[in-house]
Amino acid sequence: MEDKKINLSAIKVGLLGDSSVGKTAICNSLMNIEFAEDMLSTIGSDRLETKFPLKNGQNIKLVLWDTAGQERFRSVALNALKAAQGVIIVFDVTNKASFENIGNWLQEIKDNLANPNLVLFGNKADLPDRQVTESDARKYAKKMNLEYFETSAKTKQGLNEGFSFLVNDIYDKTIEKDDEKNVKNKIDLKKKVKEPKGKTGCFGKKKK
């Protein structure tokens, strides 16, 4: 796509999913913070910022919202994502319950957010004792019209690919919306400056 300057200073992406699926670890990995096996659960939401490379070679500010998965913090988490352009739904491939709860998260997004771009991460793919196969995850993602990425916060598997897909998709769609807006503005402007019918003389009066 042709490179353009657009009115987009930052891309805001939130992570949603059950508790302990690795949302904080994914954020830390993207921020190049050393991986830790034992991490405290997020309370409410945390905001992080980093620079992220676009496929056109430019860098853009990426704002990450790491949210709590516990039920009692759900309203706080969703409120933090009101302005998010993208959401990553995360489940743990070693925890089938977190996979089965994806539908609930999709409904929460539908009920509370303004149609953000969505992708699905199957995290902890480096672990051997998985309960959700890659095949089953991909079938579900296809059924729900979601792009799916197998990820590991520990080894960084799939993280760059997943974030790159989402961030560039948001960027490209913003360009498309700007183009549509510019075309509409040009059409509206032409309508406003359309010449009146008939010839006019001095003071705008029609000549007989």
Side-chain angles (χ1 to χ4, degrees), residues 70-167:
Q70 298 97 320
E71 180 72 31
R72 65 183 184 276
F73 296 126
R74 189 159 297 184
S75 61
V76 177
L78 289 165
N79 189 60
L81 303 188
K82 289 291 186 182
Q85 296 130 310
V87 172
I88 299 171
I89 304 171
V90 185
F91 74 94
D92 175 357
V93 299
T94 70
N95 181 347
K96 193 170 184 179
S98 69
F99 175 70
E100 293 172 340
N101 205 31
I102 293 170
N104 292 329
W105 286 110
L106 288 171
Q107 189 61 49
E108 292 282 9
I109 291 168
K110 182 180 179 181
D111 292 343
N112 296 280
L113 304 182
N115 195 30
N117 291 31
L118 303 176
V119 296
L120 180 63
F121 279 12
N123 196 40
K124 305 186 183 181
D126 58 297
L127 298 180
D129 53 341
R130 60 188 298 160
Q131 297 179 3
V132 182
T133 67
E134 182 176 353
S135 176
D136 285 345
R138 290 196 181 280
K139 285 179 183 177
Y140 180 81
K142 184 176 181 180
K143 176 183 175 183
M144 305 307 293
N145 198 29
L146 298 171
E147 289 292 329
Y148 175 67
F149 298 89
E150 293 258 302
T151 63
S152 167
K154 185 175 184 179
T155 67
K156 298 191 175 184
Q157 171 191 337
L159 294 185
N160 187 63
E161 293 85 352
F163 274 97
S164 182
F165 173 85
L166 181 59
V167 170

XYZ file of all heavy atoms in Angstrom, residues 70-167:
779
model
N -9.692 -11.737 36.170
C -10.663 -12.110 37.208
C -12.002 -11.405 36.992
O -12.066 -10.264 36.554
C -10.130 -11.754 38.608
C -8.854 -12.474 38.980
C -7.632 -11.611 38.713
O -7.561 -10.916 37.706
N -6.681 -11.650 39.623
N -13.058 -12.106 37.307
C -14.416 -11.601 37.109
C -14.637 -10.265 37.804
O -15.267 -9.357 37.243
C -15.425 -12.633 37.641
C -16.875 -12.238 37.491
C -17.356 -12.283 36.056
O -16.854 -13.115 35.294
O -18.219 -11.458 35.710
N -14.099 -10.096 39.029
C -14.374 -8.882 39.800
C -13.712 -7.639 39.190
O -14.086 -6.515 39.522
C -13.918 -9.058 41.258
C -12.434 -9.239 41.470
C -12.134 -9.480 42.944
N -10.731 -9.580 43.267
C -10.009 -10.682 43.164
N -10.575 -11.789 42.714
N -8.732 -10.702 43.497
N -12.727 -7.837 38.295
C -12.061 -6.695 37.660
C -12.496 -6.509 36.204
O -11.956 -5.668 35.493
C -10.534 -6.881 37.695
C -9.950 -6.913 39.077
C -9.154 -7.970 39.476
C -10.197 -5.892 39.978
C -8.618 -8.006 40.757
C -9.656 -5.910 41.251
C -8.861 -6.978 41.646
N -13.486 -7.283 35.764
C -13.837 -7.285 34.340
C -14.318 -5.933 33.844
O -13.931 -5.485 32.767
C -14.884 -8.362 34.063
C -15.142 -8.571 32.579
C -15.746 -9.918 32.304
N -14.853 -11.005 32.684
C -15.109 -12.288 32.474
N -16.247 -12.644 31.907
N -14.259 -13.217 32.846
N -15.155 -5.263 34.610
C -15.675 -3.962 34.168
C -14.552 -2.935 34.061
O -14.548 -2.100 33.157
C -16.757 -3.466 35.129
O -16.244 -3.297 36.440
N -13.587 -3.006 34.984
C -12.431 -2.088 34.946
C -11.595 -2.355 33.701
O -11.167 -1.431 33.004
C -11.565 -2.250 36.220
C -10.327 -1.358 36.132
C -12.374 -1.922 37.459
N -11.382 -3.644 33.415
C -10.579 -4.036 32.258
C -11.220 -3.572 30.960
O -10.564 -2.994 30.082
C -10.389 -5.548 32.243
N -12.521 -3.799 30.831
C -13.216 -3.420 29.608
C -13.293 -1.906 29.447
O -13.183 -1.379 28.332
C -14.619 -4.025 29.601
C -14.670 -5.548 29.406
C -16.039 -6.095 29.781
C -14.318 -5.924 27.974
N -13.442 -1.194 30.548
C -13.489 0.265 30.490
C -12.164 0.845 29.998
O -12.144 1.848 29.279
C -13.824 0.835 31.870
C -14.094 2.323 31.822
O -14.994 2.782 31.137
N -13.293 3.100 32.548
N -11.053 0.186 30.363
C -9.734 0.646 29.931
C -9.544 0.503 28.424
O -8.717 1.195 27.830
C -8.649 -0.139 30.665
N -10.340 -0.372 27.814
C -10.169 -0.647 26.383
C -11.179 0.079 25.505
O -11.296 -0.227 24.314
C -10.278 -2.155 26.130
C -9.295 -3.046 26.897
C -9.396 -4.481 26.404
C -7.875 -2.549 26.751
N -11.911 1.034 26.065
C -12.918 1.753 25.294
C -12.332 2.400 24.037
O -12.984 2.467 22.994
C -13.578 2.835 26.156
C -14.498 2.308 27.252
C -15.757 1.673 26.681
C -16.720 1.280 27.785
N -17.933 0.604 27.242
N -11.097 2.887 24.124
C -10.484 3.573 22.984
C -9.531 2.672 22.207
O -8.823 3.143 21.307
C -9.738 4.813 23.477
N -9.510 1.388 22.518
C -8.577 0.472 21.852
C -9.015 0.210 20.411
O -10.191 -0.027 20.137
C -8.491 -0.839 22.620
N -8.052 0.254 19.506
C -8.349 -0.069 18.099
C -8.218 -1.567 17.828
O -8.717 -2.068 16.828
C -7.389 0.699 17.184
C -7.565 2.208 17.257
C -6.255 2.918 17.476
O -5.487 2.588 18.366
N -5.990 3.908 16.645
N -7.514 -2.262 18.723
C -7.338 -3.696 18.555
C -7.374 -4.412 19.886
O -7.021 -3.834 20.925
N -7.811 -5.659 19.860
C -7.833 -6.489 21.067
C -7.270 -7.873 20.737
O -7.635 -8.473 19.717
C -9.262 -6.641 21.634
C -9.283 -7.664 22.772
C -9.785 -5.303 22.136
N -6.378 -8.343 21.601
C -5.845 -9.695 21.497
C -6.514 -10.540 22.574
O -6.393 -10.255 23.762
C -4.318 -9.715 21.701
C -3.623 -8.870 20.618
C -3.794 -11.151 21.669
C -2.142 -8.665 20.871
N -7.249 -11.550 22.155
C -7.841 -12.493 23.105
C -6.830 -13.615 23.329
O -6.381 -14.246 22.366
C -9.163 -13.066 22.568
C -10.140 -11.937 22.240
C -9.786 -14.017 23.588
C -11.376 -12.401 21.507
N -6.480 -13.834 24.578
C -5.435 -14.805 24.907
C -6.031 -15.974 25.693
O -6.800 -15.768 26.631
C -4.315 -14.148 25.747
C -3.175 -15.141 25.983
C -3.787 -12.888 25.066
N -5.683 -17.205 25.277
C -6.002 -18.374 26.084
C -4.733 -19.187 26.278
O -3.718 -18.986 25.592
C -7.121 -19.218 25.446
C -6.704 -20.018 24.241
C -6.296 -21.343 24.375
C -6.730 -19.458 22.977
C -5.917 -22.086 23.268
C -6.350 -20.199 21.863
C -5.942 -21.519 22.009
N -4.779 -20.102 27.213
C -3.643 -20.952 27.566
C -3.870 -22.334 26.953
O -4.862 -22.995 27.265
C -3.546 -21.024 29.099
C -2.473 -21.974 29.594
O -1.815 -22.645 28.776
O -2.302 -22.054 30.829
N -2.963 -22.768 26.075
C -3.157 -24.059 25.394
C -3.071 -25.237 26.364
O -3.460 -26.358 26.011
C -2.140 -24.250 24.245
C -2.300 -23.174 23.181
C -0.704 -24.314 24.766
N -2.580 -25.007 27.584
C -2.521 -26.075 28.591
C -3.724 -26.025 29.536
O -3.795 -26.782 30.496
C -1.224 -25.987 29.424
O -1.263 -24.834 30.282
C -0.004 -25.916 28.527
N -4.664 -25.125 29.253
C -5.845 -24.949 30.100
C -7.089 -24.880 29.209
O -7.402 -23.832 28.651
C -5.694 -23.671 30.931
C -6.867 -23.424 31.860
O -7.917 -24.051 31.744
N -6.696 -22.494 32.781
N -7.783 -26.006 29.068
C -8.921 -26.070 28.155
C -10.036 -25.111 28.547
O -10.743 -24.581 27.688
C -9.461 -27.498 28.086
C -10.426 -27.709 26.928
C -10.750 -29.175 26.735
C -11.639 -29.370 25.505
N -11.950 -30.799 25.278
N -10.207 -24.873 29.853
C -11.263 -23.966 30.312
C -11.060 -22.560 29.756
O -12.035 -21.874 29.408
C -11.305 -23.938 31.836
N -9.816 -22.122 29.647
C -9.538 -20.783 29.121
C -9.878 -20.708 27.633
O -10.248 -19.648 27.121
C -8.070 -20.402 29.353
O -7.194 -21.181 28.551
N -9.744 -21.834 26.937
C -10.118 -21.912 25.525
C -11.645 -21.887 25.378
O -12.190 -21.196 24.517
C -9.541 -23.189 24.912
C -9.952 -23.444 23.489
C -9.488 -22.646 22.458
C -10.802 -24.501 23.179
C -9.870 -22.883 21.136
C -11.186 -24.749 21.867
C -10.713 -23.936 20.843
N -12.310 -22.630 26.228
C -13.776 -22.711 26.169
C -14.440 -21.386 26.554
O -15.607 -21.160 26.236
C -14.265 -23.834 27.087
C -13.850 -25.218 26.592
C -14.168 -26.314 27.592
O -14.340 -25.991 28.790
O -14.206 -27.496 27.180
N -13.691 -20.512 27.216
C -14.241 -19.225 27.660
C -14.040 -18.111 26.635
O -14.468 -16.971 26.868
C -13.594 -18.811 28.992
C -14.476 -17.864 29.800
O -15.700 -17.929 29.725
N -13.858 -16.988 30.563
N -13.438 -18.424 25.499
C -13.209 -17.402 24.471
C -14.531 -16.776 24.029
O -14.626 -15.559 23.832
C -12.481 -18.005 23.247
C -11.067 -18.429 23.623
C -12.425 -16.986 22.105
C -10.370 -19.235 22.544
N -15.553 -17.609 23.871
C -16.855 -17.102 23.443
C -17.408 -16.045 24.378
O -18.032 -15.069 23.925
N -17.183 -16.211 25.686
C -17.644 -15.211 26.659
C -16.909 -13.890 26.475
O -17.507 -12.811 26.591
C -17.455 -15.734 28.084
C -18.377 -16.894 28.397
O -19.489 -16.976 27.872
N -17.929 -17.807 29.250
N -15.610 -13.972 26.192
C -14.830 -12.756 25.966
C -15.286 -12.049 24.688
O -15.365 -10.814 24.644
C -13.336 -13.079 25.908
C -12.765 -13.385 27.249
C -12.337 -14.596 27.720
C -12.570 -12.455 28.326
N -11.899 -14.478 29.017
C -12.023 -13.178 29.416
C -12.796 -11.088 28.480
C -11.708 -12.580 30.637
C -12.486 -10.490 29.691
C -11.944 -11.232 30.748
N -15.583 -12.830 23.659
C -16.084 -12.233 22.417
C -17.401 -11.500 22.652
O -17.638 -10.419 22.097
C -16.265 -13.312 21.355
C -14.979 -13.884 20.750
C -15.284 -15.102 19.884
C -14.250 -12.826 19.923
N -18.254 -12.079 23.488
C -19.530 -11.437 23.796
C -19.313 -10.156 24.596
O -20.003 -9.149 24.366
C -20.426 -12.397 24.576
C -21.857 -11.902 24.760
C -22.587 -11.697 23.447
O -22.577 -12.564 22.580
N -23.204 -10.529 23.272
N -18.370 -10.187 25.541
C -18.054 -8.987 26.328
C -17.559 -7.862 25.411
O -17.923 -6.691 25.586
C -16.979 -9.310 27.379
C -17.432 -10.238 28.499
C -18.263 -9.520 29.555
O -18.626 -8.344 29.343
O -18.557 -10.144 30.590
N -16.742 -8.224 24.441
C -16.228 -7.234 23.490
C -17.371 -6.653 22.669
O -17.473 -5.436 22.479
C -15.168 -7.873 22.567
C -13.908 -8.210 23.375
C -14.816 -6.942 21.408
C -12.924 -9.083 22.633
N -18.239 -7.520 22.180
C -19.389 -7.086 21.385
C -20.295 -6.153 22.174
O -20.805 -5.153 21.643
C -20.176 -8.303 20.902
C -21.370 -7.969 20.022
C -22.089 -9.229 19.576
C -23.302 -8.893 18.712
N -24.015 -10.123 18.290
N -20.490 -6.451 23.463
C -21.402 -5.674 24.304
C -20.812 -4.357 24.790
O -21.560 -3.416 25.090
C -21.824 -6.494 25.525
C -22.699 -7.688 25.166
O -23.241 -7.709 24.045
O -22.814 -8.602 26.006
N -19.482 -4.284 24.877
C -18.871 -3.137 25.556
C -17.913 -2.289 24.724
O -17.649 -1.145 25.094
C -18.107 -3.617 26.799
C -19.017 -4.227 27.842
O -19.666 -3.506 28.600
N -19.074 -5.551 27.888
N -17.389 -2.830 23.621
C -16.381 -2.100 22.851
C -16.881 -1.780 21.444
O -17.811 -2.403 20.941
C -15.083 -2.908 22.785
C -14.473 -3.305 24.141
C -13.170 -4.060 23.935
C -14.250 -2.085 25.028
N -16.209 -0.810 20.817
C -16.664 -0.289 19.520
C -16.004 -1.016 18.355
O -15.231 -0.428 17.593
C -16.389 1.211 19.442
N -16.282 -2.299 18.234
C -15.849 -3.101 17.080
C -14.344 -2.996 16.786
O -13.935 -2.635 15.665
C -16.644 -2.683 15.833
C -16.522 -3.686 14.717
O -16.355 -4.884 14.955
N -16.581 -3.211 13.487
N -13.483 -3.338 17.747
C -12.038 -3.290 17.492
C -11.590 -4.457 16.612
O -12.299 -5.458 16.469
C -11.442 -3.425 18.902
C -12.457 -4.256 19.634
C -13.794 -3.823 19.102
N -10.406 -4.320 16.015
C -9.802 -5.433 15.291
C -9.408 -6.515 16.298
O -8.862 -6.201 17.364
C -8.557 -4.971 14.539
C -8.895 -4.058 13.377
O -9.871 -3.326 13.421
N -8.102 -4.106 12.333
N -9.651 -7.775 15.952
C -9.411 -8.869 16.893
C -8.456 -9.912 16.332
O -8.475 -10.204 15.134
C -10.734 -9.565 17.250
C -11.858 -8.727 17.844
C -13.099 -9.592 18.039
C -11.430 -8.112 19.164
N -7.617 -10.464 17.210
C -6.831 -11.660 16.891
C -6.855 -12.573 18.113
O -7.171 -12.141 19.227
C -5.372 -11.340 16.502
C -5.294 -10.528 15.229
C -4.635 -10.643 17.632
N -6.510 -13.832 17.884
C -6.513 -14.825 18.956
C -5.118 -15.399 19.140
O -4.475 -15.816 18.180
C -7.498 -15.951 18.604
C -7.652 -17.100 19.605
C -8.210 -16.603 20.934
C -8.561 -18.188 19.025
N -4.647 -15.389 20.400
C -3.346 -15.976 20.738
C -3.564 -17.227 21.580
O -4.242 -17.181 22.606
C -2.502 -15.001 21.574
C -1.788 -13.934 20.789
C -2.077 -13.691 19.450
C -0.816 -13.141 21.401
C -1.423 -12.698 18.748
C -0.151 -12.154 20.706
C -0.448 -11.925 19.372
N -2.979 -18.353 21.150
C -2.908 -19.551 21.979
C -1.561 -19.567 22.657
O -0.547 -19.954 22.047
N -1.501 -19.106 23.903
C -0.221 -18.898 24.591
C 0.270 -20.155 25.312
O -0.469 -21.108 25.502
C -0.364 -17.732 25.581
C 0.974 -17.195 26.033
O 1.905 -17.082 25.239
N 1.088 -16.866 27.301
N 1.547 -20.127 25.697
C 2.258 -21.222 26.371
C 2.426 -22.428 25.444
O 2.416 -23.588 25.879
C 1.552 -21.628 27.670
C 1.344 -20.459 28.648
C 0.791 -20.909 29.975
C 0.525 -19.709 30.884
N -0.003 -20.093 32.218
N 2.609 -22.137 24.144
C 2.773 -23.189 23.144
C 4.089 -23.950 23.301
O 4.269 -24.994 22.672
C 2.680 -22.587 21.745
N 4.982 -23.434 24.138
C 6.264 -24.127 24.372
C 6.121 -25.276 25.360
O 7.022 -26.127 25.460
C 7.297 -23.138 24.919
C 6.833 -22.476 26.219
O 5.805 -21.760 26.172
O 7.478 -22.679 27.264
N 4.999 -25.345 26.074
C 4.820 -26.375 27.096
C 4.294 -27.675 26.477
O 3.479 -27.648 25.552
C 3.863 -25.885 28.182
C 4.319 -24.645 28.963
C 3.280 -24.260 30.006
C 5.675 -24.882 29.627
N 4.718 -28.825 26.997
C 4.342 -30.110 26.399
C 2.954 -30.606 26.778
O 2.316 -31.322 26.012
C 5.415 -31.070 26.936
C 5.817 -30.473 28.252
C 5.724 -28.985 28.070
N 2.465 -30.240 27.968
C 1.214 -30.811 28.475
C -0.003 -29.985 28.043
O -0.809 -29.542 28.850
C 1.254 -30.932 29.995
C 1.628 -29.620 30.677
O 2.190 -28.740 29.994
O 1.349 -29.482 31.883
N -0.162 -29.795 26.728
C -1.243 -28.961 26.241
C -2.561 -29.734 26.199
O -2.602 -30.934 25.961
C -0.910 -28.366 24.879
C -0.649 -29.322 23.759
C -0.146 -28.575 22.513
N -1.136 -27.622 22.016
C -0.829 -26.597 21.207
N 0.420 -26.379 20.827
N -1.769 -25.789 20.780
N -3.646 -29.005 26.412
C -4.989 -29.584 26.404
C -5.792 -29.145 25.173
O -6.880 -29.677 24.926
C -5.745 -29.180 27.675
C -5.120 -29.689 28.959
C -5.889 -29.233 30.193
O -6.925 -28.581 30.103
N -5.370 -29.574 31.367
N -5.267 -28.183 24.432
C -5.925 -27.694 23.218
C -4.959 -27.842 22.057
O -3.871 -27.262 22.064
C -6.344 -26.213 23.357
C -7.074 -25.746 22.092
C -7.211 -25.993 24.587
N -5.328 -28.637 21.060
C -4.443 -28.843 19.920
C -4.450 -27.611 19.019
O -5.414 -26.840 18.994
C -4.868 -30.068 19.092
O -6.143 -29.795 18.474
C -4.967 -31.310 19.958
N -3.379 -27.437 18.269
C -3.311 -26.323 17.327
C -4.420 -26.437 16.286
O -5.016 -25.434 15.882
C -1.945 -26.288 16.637
C -1.801 -25.120 15.682
C -0.414 -25.016 15.071
O 0.487 -25.780 15.485
O -0.234 -24.174 14.168
N -4.709 -27.660 15.870
C -5.753 -27.895 14.881
C -7.119 -27.424 15.383
O -7.863 -26.735 14.670
C -5.821 -29.379 14.522
O -6.892 -29.637 13.642
N -7.452 -27.783 16.630
C -8.734 -27.369 17.200
C -8.809 -25.851 17.349
O -9.862 -25.243 17.113
C -8.952 -28.037 18.560
C -9.319 -29.508 18.438
O -9.674 -29.944 17.323
O -9.231 -30.232 19.455
N -7.700 -25.252 17.766
C -7.674 -23.795 17.941
C -7.873 -23.090 16.605
O -8.608 -22.103 16.512
C -6.363 -23.369 18.585
N -7.218 -23.590 15.563
C -7.337 -22.967 14.247
C -8.746 -23.136 13.669
O -9.263 -22.242 13.008
C -6.294 -23.535 13.287
C -4.868 -23.113 13.628
C -3.887 -23.323 12.510
N -2.557 -22.921 12.915
C -2.127 -21.654 12.943
N -2.947 -20.687 12.563
N -0.899 -21.370 13.327
N -9.350 -24.285 13.906
C -10.721 -24.508 13.440
C -11.680 -23.527 14.108
O -12.570 -22.964 13.460
C -11.146 -25.951 13.743
C -10.537 -26.993 12.829
C -10.992 -28.394 13.230
C -10.325 -29.456 12.364
N -10.699 -30.832 12.799
N -11.505 -23.344 15.414
C -12.371 -22.416 16.142
C -12.148 -20.986 15.652
O -13.116 -20.239 15.438
C -12.104 -22.496 17.643
C -12.964 -21.551 18.448
C -14.274 -21.878 18.772
C -12.471 -20.307 18.866
C -15.086 -21.007 19.494
C -13.263 -19.432 19.586
C -14.573 -19.785 19.896
O -15.365 -18.916 20.595
N -10.880 -20.604 15.468
C -10.564 -19.250 15.007
C -11.180 -18.989 13.635
O -11.744 -17.913 13.384
C -9.053 -19.053 14.958
N -11.101 -19.964 12.754
C -11.676 -19.817 11.414
C -13.190 -19.654 11.499
O -13.786 -18.832 10.794
C -11.322 -21.038 10.557
C -11.790 -20.925 9.114
C -11.328 -22.125 8.299
C -11.773 -21.989 6.840
N -11.329 -23.157 6.031
N -13.808 -20.445 12.371
C -15.265 -20.374 12.566
C -15.683 -18.983 13.050
O -16.728 -18.457 12.645
C -15.692 -21.431 13.582
C -17.168 -21.405 13.933
C -17.484 -22.448 14.998
C -18.932 -22.363 15.450
N -19.217 -23.337 16.540
N -14.863 -18.380 13.907
C -15.190 -17.066 14.472
C -14.581 -15.915 13.667
O -14.639 -14.759 14.088
C -14.696 -16.999 15.924
C -15.214 -18.112 16.821
S -17.024 -18.268 16.798
C -17.510 -16.739 17.580
N -13.979 -16.253 12.525
C -13.371 -15.246 11.643
C -12.248 -14.469 12.341
O -12.160 -13.244 12.242
C -14.436 -14.281 11.120
C -13.978 -13.508 9.901
O -13.156 -13.998 9.119
N -14.482 -12.300 9.729
N -11.389 -15.205 13.051
C -10.261 -14.605 13.765
C -8.936 -15.138 13.210
O -8.839 -16.317 12.861
C -10.324 -14.946 15.259
C -11.524 -14.454 16.058
C -11.515 -15.087 17.445
C -11.505 -12.935 16.164
N -7.945 -14.277 13.134
C -6.590 -14.736 12.830
C -6.017 -15.367 14.101
O -6.173 -14.814 15.192
C -5.709 -13.580 12.373
C -6.042 -13.050 10.992
C -5.721 -14.034 9.890
O -4.760 -14.814 10.059
O -6.421 -14.019 8.860
N -5.347 -16.519 13.949
C -4.851 -17.244 15.114
C -3.332 -17.363 15.080
O -2.742 -17.636 14.033
C -5.470 -18.646 15.168
C -4.915 -19.500 16.288
C -5.165 -19.171 17.618
C -4.124 -20.619 16.015
C -4.645 -19.938 18.644
C -3.609 -21.395 17.039
C -3.865 -21.051 18.347
O -3.345 -21.809 19.372
N -2.714 -17.190 16.269
C -1.265 -17.309 16.395
C -0.920 -18.146 17.622
O -1.435 -17.894 18.714
C -0.613 -15.920 16.522
C -0.831 -15.049 15.322
C -1.952 -14.226 15.235
C 0.060 -15.066 14.261
C -2.176 -13.431 14.122
C -0.152 -14.275 13.142
C -1.275 -13.461 13.069
N -0.071 -19.145 17.418
C 0.479 -19.922 18.529
C 1.628 -19.115 19.110
O 2.568 -18.746 18.392
C 0.988 -21.276 18.029
C -0.096 -22.206 17.544
C -0.429 -23.286 18.561
O 0.481 -24.053 18.956
O -1.610 -23.363 18.971
N 1.574 -18.836 20.414
C 2.572 -17.953 21.014
C 3.187 -18.550 22.275
O 2.626 -19.444 22.904
C 1.955 -16.590 21.374
O 0.943 -16.770 22.370
C 1.354 -15.924 20.150
N 4.331 -18.004 22.611
C 4.985 -18.317 23.877
C 5.663 -17.054 24.384
O 6.555 -16.513 23.720
C 6.035 -19.422 23.698
O 6.872 -19.507 24.846
N 5.228 -16.569 25.535
C 5.860 -15.387 26.119
C 7.295 -15.696 26.528
O 8.148 -14.810 26.549
C 5.054 -14.913 27.324
N 7.573 -16.963 26.826
C 8.906 -17.365 27.288
C 9.922 -17.391 26.146
O 11.020 -16.863 26.260
C 8.830 -18.739 27.951
C 10.158 -19.193 28.565
C 9.974 -20.508 29.317
C 11.266 -20.920 30.009
N 11.093 -22.189 30.771
N 9.541 -18.000 25.014
C 10.466 -18.120 23.880
C 10.241 -17.042 22.819
O 10.996 -16.945 21.862
C 10.312 -19.492 23.212
O 9.011 -19.571 22.587
C 10.450 -20.622 24.220
N 9.167 -16.250 22.980
C 8.762 -15.205 22.042
C 8.208 -15.767 20.735
O 8.020 -15.027 19.758
C 9.905 -14.232 21.752
C 10.381 -13.471 22.986
C 11.307 -12.331 22.621
C 11.668 -11.516 23.857
N 12.493 -10.332 23.528
N 7.920 -17.048 20.712
C 7.326 -17.668 19.528
C 6.018 -16.972 19.140
O 5.129 -16.782 19.956
C 7.023 -19.147 19.796
C 6.211 -19.843 18.702
C 5.723 -21.211 19.128
O 6.297 -21.834 20.030
N 4.672 -21.709 18.497
N 5.901 -16.588 17.895
C 4.660 -16.055 17.344
C 4.271 -14.646 17.764
O 3.320 -14.084 17.209
N 4.974 -14.070 18.723
C 4.566 -12.754 19.229
C 4.739 -11.653 18.189
O 3.828 -10.852 17.960
C 5.344 -12.400 20.494
C 5.075 -13.267 21.726
C 5.834 -12.721 22.930
C 3.580 -13.328 22.032
N 5.904 -11.605 17.561
C 6.134 -10.558 16.566
C 5.173 -10.701 15.392
O 4.623 -9.709 14.910
C 7.572 -10.613 16.065
C 7.895 -9.429 15.157
O 7.859 -8.278 15.575
N 8.194 -9.725 13.897
N 4.936 -11.957 14.963
C 4.014 -12.189 13.855
C 2.597 -11.745 14.208
O 1.915 -11.105 13.400
C 4.016 -13.673 13.465
C 5.297 -14.181 12.855
C 6.336 -14.598 13.884
O 6.113 -14.350 15.096
O 7.368 -15.177 13.481
N 2.161 -12.099 15.408
C 0.805 -11.748 15.833
C 0.598 -10.256 15.979
O -0.393 -9.693 15.482
N 1.531 -9.600 16.677
C 1.412 -8.154 16.862
C 1.564 -7.423 15.526
O 0.871 -6.432 15.271
C 2.454 -7.651 17.865
C 2.010 -7.746 19.291
C 2.380 -8.826 20.075
C 1.219 -6.768 19.865
C 1.971 -8.933 21.402
C 0.801 -6.846 21.185
C 1.173 -7.938 21.957
N 2.476 -7.892 14.685
C 2.698 -7.250 13.389
C 1.437 -7.321 12.530
O 1.056 -6.325 11.885
C 3.864 -7.920 12.650
O 4.115 -7.283 11.416
N 0.783 -8.476 12.529
C -0.456 -8.607 11.755
C -1.503 -7.610 12.252
O -2.119 -6.887 11.464
C -1.010 -10.028 11.860
C -2.371 -10.178 11.223
C -2.487 -10.431 9.873
C -3.529 -10.022 11.982
C -3.740 -10.528 9.268
C -4.787 -10.125 11.389
C -4.890 -10.377 10.027
N -1.707 -7.560 13.565
C -2.750 -6.706 14.133
C -2.445 -5.228 13.929
O -3.302 -4.457 13.483
C -2.918 -7.012 15.619
C -4.000 -6.204 16.354
C -5.367 -6.437 15.724
C -4.031 -6.564 17.838
N -1.235 -4.813 14.245
C -0.866 -3.400 14.156
C -0.947 -2.908 12.708
O -1.493 -1.830 12.427
C 0.541 -3.164 14.738
C 1.022 -1.752 14.416
C 0.538 -3.385 16.243
